[in-house]
Each structure stands twice: as structure tokens, then as C-alpha cells.
Amino acid sequence: MTLQNVSVASARDSGSQAGNSRNALRWDLSPEEIKTMTDSLITRTQKVYDDIGSLNIENVSVENTLKTLASAKLDYASSRHVLDFPQFVCPCKEIRSASTEADKKLSEFDVEISMREDVFKRITALQNKIQDELEREEKRFLDRQVTLGKRNGLHLSKDIQEEIKRASKLISELSIEFNRNLNEVNTFLVFSECELGGLADSYLNGLEKTADGQYKVTLEYPHYYPLMKRCHNPETRRKMEMAFHSRCKEVNTTILEQLIQLRAKVAGLLGYNNHANYVLEMNMAKNGSNVSDFLDEFYGTLKPIGIKERKYILSLKKRDCMMKGHDFDGQINAWDLPYYMNQVEQVKFAVDKDKLIEYFPLDVVTEGLFGIYQDLLGLTFTEVKPAHVWHEHVSLYSVQDAATGEEIGQFYLDLHPREGKYGHAACFGLQPGCRGPDGKRRLPVAAMVANFTKPRKGWPSLLQHHEVETYFHEFGHVMHELCSKTIISEFSGTLVETDFVEVPSQMLENWVWEKEPLRRMSGHYKDGSPIPDNLLDKLITSRVANTGLMNLRQVVLSKVDQSLHTSPHADTAEVFAKHCQDILGVPATPGTNMTASFSHLAGGYDGQYYSYLWSEVYSMDIFFSRFKKEGIMNPKVGKEYRRVILEAGGSVDGLDMLKTFLG
């Protein structure tokens, strides 16, 4: 997942960033400084828009309109990212709150400047006046500004514009609140050792204990998912699943259902029949009908596979209940699914997860992952020490082009959970990689934020294989941000069509299912010994395990998203429960509402969650047509991929990039 416009980072004066003065991001701002700098940024940007808006229409030019606007957007993107990223990662609650307030204020300002009819008229006049002297990317930028202006209703009456503006501001504010609520969840459940039967010592040793010796289990990913997959006690799993899918249930259900109504209202005012069609117009899919056809076809292919997998899982559950003396209820419950899907891997493919995890210590995975990306893309990574960071467990790296030695970007790694931190895995673009007004390329900076198990006394951080896959995926987004070489900041890095943004990272996930890369990213945490061949072969073969059910769950989420955003209002819990039962054959637990913690719906993927499945089709085409065919570690193909796909950012349509790379 990528977050560019939802929020981002902090700025320090030029030489204060250790290692490179071109990275001016600052992480020690006080709440007062965040507020002052937010107001200053708004004032500064407002003046540029006022200047453009007051130009005599006959006098508009590339210099005083287009390039001035592009420079203002670059300054805004670079400076904003010093203010609203701390809400996701800062250990201090007061600073997180100040950052959230900054994000609200800036998001409201985003709506204001996007609704500047005076600027829109001058941009439109420039488009009508001049075309020939523009570079291709500048023309794309100009055309995009006109398109966005129309999509914001600037060609409509003042009354309608004001209505759109009011609704859009509220949408921004509610989206921020939705995600803040999730980030601040600190719920934990208490279980006895008996209730946690089936979980490895490495898991139990990482849990805090109560005064009477029981275990505290939080809803953070490193606690929740291993328990749901491994705990033999169905009642423990039921309690955890109930709590997990009840996070922020009351407050976020209200927010989400309000967002759905507001989005539908804005789409209607703009002349669209629903919100999905409005957002999809700018994507590869173009409209909801194409998305619906795609998902229906995908579902039709997967349905018989899912039926077969469900039947097998039910047989496993029936046998399990007989052996343990539990009542068999004849159905797969939400708290059963991850447990028995894990059993499938063990029974059918004999994958020993307890043994496997010992070969993926985080440090070894990181070293191997770095090596693969460096060799494949022609890069060199160097850790920056000392580094100015927001927490002691965060590290900073400089990235150079291996051939020229030129620094092309920097990235932060923040890999462990803590209270108040963003709870998923994502790449945050912090500074765009594009050409500045002086003609020189700005240094792109990104952060990868994840929640892998913390190291503790006697135990390093050990990753499940699916976490290795997540690491590889999100780091692919980091590379997309850093390799970007665009002219305009609005096209930098991952600022591509939403249904193309996952393609580069999903393509790179294939490396964690290939023997050579897996060898490079693994080694036993005690002695560095390699994964035994038989265990490695079983892991690779297990890729096909539960393929139907895993992809059907993505169909459920995609169809829920489409259903919510093709309706003027919705009962979100009911919509999710219906699709879950109809498509997956698994009832949602009564009293829960998964959509209240479905952060994508308030994080820029509204009406667009299908993008994960859509992108999978193209990512597999890239992998099998080029890398699998010509060599997965072939540097020639890797460098071409970097040049055609990663460096272009959003300056070229996704489909055109694919045609160029695939030939």
C-alpha cells in the first residue's frame, strides 16, 4: 500500500540532516512548530495561487502560469511532508495530535486551492493559447490541471461549487479521523497459557504478562495473525477475531457511512451516477461496468476452486472436532478460516511453519532483500550514521546509482510496532524526486513503515514467510519512489493510476517464491545455516495452497467497496456480511463490522480496492514475459524495468509503460 497525499513528513534546515543536506526532513518539531509551519505553508502557497489568479488572461504564459504552478506544487509537496507524517509514527501523542490537526488544516486547504476558479480560467486560457513549445510532460501536466478543474466542478455554477467544496472538506476531515481512530487502538486480551495452546515459544516469549502470570495479546499484526493461524483453541480465536473486527466499530461505522453519502453527493453534483464511476474515470479501468465485469469473470474462474477448498477445510475441521471432542457446527466461521487454511499448508504441503520461521531473522532478510534489489536495479545502499530519525529503532539509508555513484534517494525503515503507530505496512512518499526550478533533480525520500515482531532478549525478530513477502512488496514501492526521474512533482514516484500503482510491487513479490532469492534472504538465526532443500521445496510448492479462498477474499473486499460506492447510502456491516457469505461462504461474526477498520476505504482506495486484483494480471505478465523468461536476476532486464517503469513515475500512462516494457 502507498500513501502519498493522505499524509507525510517533516523539514529541517539544510545541513542538519546527517549524511546529506538534500534530505532536509526534520523529526523534532514541537506541536507549536507544526502549527506555525502549517500556517506559513498555507500562506506561502495561497500567495502563489493569488498571483496566478490575478494575471490578465491575455498575459498568461508558460513561465508565469504553468511553471509557477509546478514550482508551487513542488514546494508544497516537499514542505507538507514535514507536517503530517508524524501522526503515523511519532512516539509522542501530543505531536501525533498536532500532526493530525495539521493534516486536517492542509487537507481543507487542498480543497480550497483545487476549487480556485480564477486559476482554472487562466490554466484553460493557456491550454487554448499554446501547445507547441511545451515538453511532453509539461503538456501532460497542463492537460491534467484542466481535467482536474472540470472534475472539481469549476465549470459549474457558484452555488454548486460551494456545495462541492463543503462536502469535500468534510470528506477529508472524516477520512483523517477514521485512520486516527485506528492508529490509536491499544486494546489487548488476556489469556492463560492453556488458552494459547499451539503457539510456539518464540511467540509466547514476546508477550507481556499480567501480575498473575497470564498473557496479554494485543490486536497488532505480529500478535493477531500468528494466533489466528496457530492457536488450537477455537474459543480463543473467536474472542480475538471478534475484538479485531470490532475495532472502532461504533465511531468508524458512523464515519464510513457518512463518507459514502458525501462521496455519492459530490459525484451527483458533478454529473456522475455514483462515486465509483467518478474516481474510476482517471484509472485504467475507466468505469464501474468494466470493474464489475472484471470481478465477475475473476469470481467465475475462482468459484469452483473455492468450493473445493472449502469442502476440504470442512473435512479438516470435522476431523479436528472429533479428535478434540468439540461440537462440529458444520460451517467455517470467520475465526476458523485462517487456522484451517494454515492446516492445509501443513497437511497437504507439509510446510513446518515453526521450523521455517527460524530461517527468516529480520536482519538476514533485510540484507538479502537489499542485495537482490541492488543487483537487479543497479543500485547501492549505504546506511546513514548518525541519522536524524523519529524513533531509536528507525534507520536511514542512502541509495546511489551503482554505475555513476550519484545519490538518487534516501529511505527510512520503521519496522516494529509501538503504541500509536500506523498499524499496517505501507510506503510513505516524503519528498518527491523531480526536477526543481533550478533544473536540478530533487532528492526523493520515502519511508517504509511495517509492524514485524520486535526482537527481545534471547530472540531476534523472526518473520513468517508471508511477512517476507510483505517486506518485498512494500520495498518495491520504496524503489518506485526513489528511482523516479520526472520533471513535475505531481508525477513523481508512485503518483500513477491507482489501478497501476500496485503493479511494480506485486511483480516483485514473485522473488520470494523463487529458490535463489529465498536462499539469499534466509539463514538460521542461531548459526546462519541455509534452509534445508526439502523445506524450501515444500514452501515453494505451497504457493498454490488456498489460492481460491485467498483470492475470493480479495473479490469480497473489492465487491464490498464497489457496492458501497455505487450506492447513495449503505449499511456497511450488512453489505460486508452479505458478500462474505455469498462469495466466500463464510459468515461474518454477528456484532462485528470489518469495514470499520478497512483503512483503504478512507485512505485513497475508495471505489478502487479492485486495483490489487487488476494489477495482479499485469504484474504476472511482466514477470513471466520478461524476468522468468530472461532470468529473474538478469541485471539487463532489471535496469530496463527501472528505466521504463520506475523512473517514469506517473509521467506516462500505465498501459503505455507496459507496452514499451513488454514489447
Side-chain angles (χ1 to χ4, degrees), residues 360-381:
F360 290 120
L362 179 58
D363 289 350
V364 174
V365 173
T366 299
E367 184 181 350
L369 178 148
F370 279 11
I372 291 165
Y373 272 100
Q374 288 174 105
D375 292 350
L376 196 62
L377 301 179
L379 303 170
T380 304
F381 303 159

Side-chain angles (χ1 to χ4, degrees), residues 502-549:
E502 298 297 336
V503 170
S505 285
Q506 285 181 331
M507 192 279 294
L508 289 157
E509 286 177 19
N510 288 287
W511 272 249
V512 307
W513 294 100
E514 297 283 335
K515 189 167 279 190
E516 182 189 347
L518 280 169
R519 285 256 183 251
R520 292 182 67 171
M521 289 188 288
S522 60
H524 199 279
Y525 77 94
K526 287 183 178 176
D527 57 14
S529 57
I531 303 180
D533 280 338
N534 67 329
L535 187 56
L536 193 58
D537 290 339
K538 287 171 183 174
L539 170 65
I540 292 168
T541 307
S542 75
R543 186 176 192 179
V544 298
N546 306 304
T547 302
L549 290 174

Side-chain angles (χ1 to χ4, degrees), residues 410-424:
Q410 293 190 1
F411 66 87
Y412 299 90
L413 292 182
D414 184 352
L415 303 180
H416 301 298
R418 57 182 175 271
E419 190 171 334
K421 181 184 163 184
Y422 180 77
H424 306 279

Side-chain angles (χ1 to χ4, degrees), residues 13 144 159 178 272 312 324 447 479 485 502-503 603:
D13 50 33
R144 178 179 169 82
D159 288 348
F178 185 99
Y272 296 84
Y312 183 68
K324 293 175 180 173
M479 291 296 97
K485 284 188 175 179
E502 298 297 336
V503 170

Side-chain angles (χ1 to χ4, degrees), residues 263-280:
R263 288 166 178 162
K265 177 183 177 180
V266 170
L269 289 169
L270 290 166
Y272 296 84
N273 59 353
N274 58 57
H275 177 68
N277 276 337
Y278 169 67
V279 292
L280 293 171

Side-chain angles (χ1 to χ4, degrees), residues 407-460:
E407 184 175 41
I408 67 160
Q410 293 190 1
F411 66 87
Y412 299 90
L413 292 182
D414 184 352
L415 303 180
H416 301 298
R418 57 182 175 271
E419 190 171 334
K421 181 184 163 184
Y422 180 77
H424 306 279
C427 167
F428 291 78
L430 304 180
Q431 197 165 276
C434 63
R435 193 168 71 192
D438 58 1
K440 295 178 182 177
R441 179 175 178 266
R442 293 294 179 89
L443 187 78
V445 182
M448 181 184 156
V449 176
N451 287 276
F452 301 138
T453 308
K454 292 178 186 175
R456 63 252 179 224
K457 198 172 182 180
W459 291 91

Side-chain angles (χ1 to χ4, degrees), residues 290-497:
N290 289 338
V291 172
S292 180
D293 290 346
F294 168 73
L295 292 174
D296 287 345
E297 185 179 349
F298 208 79
Y299 173 52
T301 304
L302 290 168
K303 187 177 180 181
I305 303 169
I307 290 170
K308 190 176 177 181
E309 290 177 357
R310 271 199 308 274
K311 188 177 177 181
Y312 183 68
I313 280 177
L314 263 180
S315 71
L316 287 179
K317 180 177 175 179
K318 186 175 183 180
R319 186 186 71 175
D320 201 26
C321 289
M322 287 175 64
M323 289 173 63
K324 293 175 180 173
H326 298 151
D327 291 334
F328 177 59
D329 59 7
Q331 70 175 17
I332 303 168
N333 300 299
W335 59 88
D336 293 325
L337 194 59
Y339 178 76
Y340 288 105
M341 284 172 73
N342 189 62
Q343 291 290 303
V344 169
E345 292 181 41
Q346 292 185 1
V347 174
K348 271 195 170 182
F349 299 93
V351 178
D352 186 341
K353 293 288 186 71
D354 286 339
K355 193 70 183 165
L356 192 62
I357 195 173
E358 295 179 0
Y359 290 91
F360 290 120
L362 179 58
D363 289 350
V364 174
V365 173
T366 299
E367 184 181 350
L369 178 148
F370 279 11
I372 291 165
Y373 272 100
Q374 288 174 105
D375 292 350
L376 196 62
L377 301 179
L379 303 170
T380 304
F381 303 159
T382 309
E383 186 168 3
V384 176
K385 287 186 176 181
H388 175 64
V389 293
W390 53 87
H391 188 272
E392 60 181 341
H393 294 150
V394 177
S395 50
L396 173 65
Y397 294 84
S398 170
V399 179
Q400 298 90 30
D401 181 278
T404 65
E406 175 198 359
E407 184 175 41
I408 67 160
Q410 293 190 1
F411 66 87
Y412 299 90
L413 292 182
D414 184 352
L415 303 180
H416 301 298
R418 57 182 175 271
E419 190 171 334
K421 181 184 163 184
Y422 180 77
H424 306 279
C427 167
F428 291 78
L430 304 180
Q431 197 165 276
C434 63
R435 193 168 71 192
D438 58 1
K440 295 178 182 177
R441 179 175 178 266
R442 293 294 179 89
L443 187 78
V445 182
M448 181 184 156
V449 176
N451 287 276
F452 301 138
T453 308
K454 292 178 186 175
R456 63 252 179 224
K457 198 172 182 180
W459 291 91
S461 173
L462 298 174
L463 303 189
Q464 300 281 351
H465 178 258
H466 75 86
E467 292 178 305
V468 177
E469 187 173 41
T470 296
Y471 197 169
F472 221 82
H473 175 100
E474 296 302 338
F475 199 78
H477 287 310
V478 172
M479 291 296 97
H480 201 173
E481 290 284 355
L482 268 51
C483 290
S484 171
K485 284 188 175 179
T486 62
I487 296 172
I488 308 291
S489 64
E490 204 154 300
F491 300 134
S492 178
T494 56
L495 292 171
V496 299
E497 300 104 312

